[in-house]
């Protein structure tokens, strides 16, 4: 009986208090676990969103890297093509320059040869002109002498004819 009384008066309220204490602690732990689970869920959701963002950014980055790689390849190809064109133009310019220099040298040599020929022709022409002028002067002199001879002969014939006519008339 004492045990029963003790149990009813002391042990039962103590067990009830202990049970309520455990229930209270369980509720608090459950509430904490619920809050923590909500935080975990929220964190997992945020983590999932961040993972999606990272995946999206990763795919955008991969696409941009591919575009950059293609652009670099195209640019490198364009640069190589332009460098080849520049090299060809330089070679063409060099060839044209060499041809122009050779052509200029040939032209200068030809011009010099023509100048020498011209000077020789000038000397020859001057000499020939002097000879023609001498021959012309001699021909004119002979022509004048012949003209004088004809005039004198005509004058003589005219005088002889006048004398003959006078003799015949007399």
């Amino acid at each position: 009986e004492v045990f029963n009384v003790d149990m009813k008066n002391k042990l039962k309220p103590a067990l009830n208090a202990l049970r309520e204490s455990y229930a209270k602690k369980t509720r608090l732990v459950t509430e904490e676990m619920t809050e923590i689970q909500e935080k975990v869920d929220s964190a997992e959701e945020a983590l999932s969103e961040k993972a999606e963002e990272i995946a999206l950014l990763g795919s955008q980055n991969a696409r941009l890297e591919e575009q950059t790689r293609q652009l670099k390849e195209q640019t490198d190809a364009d640069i190589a093509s332009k460098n080849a064109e520049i090299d060809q133009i330089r070679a063409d310019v060099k060839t044209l320059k060499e041809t122009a220099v050779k052509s200029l040298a040939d032209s200068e040599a030809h011009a010099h040869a023509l100048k020498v020929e011209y000077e020789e022709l000038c000397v020859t022409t001057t000499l020939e002109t002097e000879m023609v002028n001498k021959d012309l002067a001699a021909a004119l002199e002979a022509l004048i002498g012949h003209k004088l001879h004809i005039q004198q002969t005509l004058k003589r014939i005219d005088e002889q004819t006048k004398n003959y006519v006078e003799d015949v008339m007399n």
Side-chain angles (χ1 to χ4, degrees), residues 126-156:
T126 302
L127 291 175
E128 288 178 2
T129 302
E130 288 176 6
M131 288 174 60
V132 167
N133 283 341
K134 284 181 186 178
D135 290 345
L136 186 59
L140 285 174
E141 206 173 292
L143 183 62
I144 290 173
H146 185 63
K147 183 182 172 190
L148 284 176
H149 173 69
I150 290 175
Q151 281 178 341
Q152 288 173 354
T153 303
L154 285 175
K155 189 176 177 183
R156 212 174 350 124

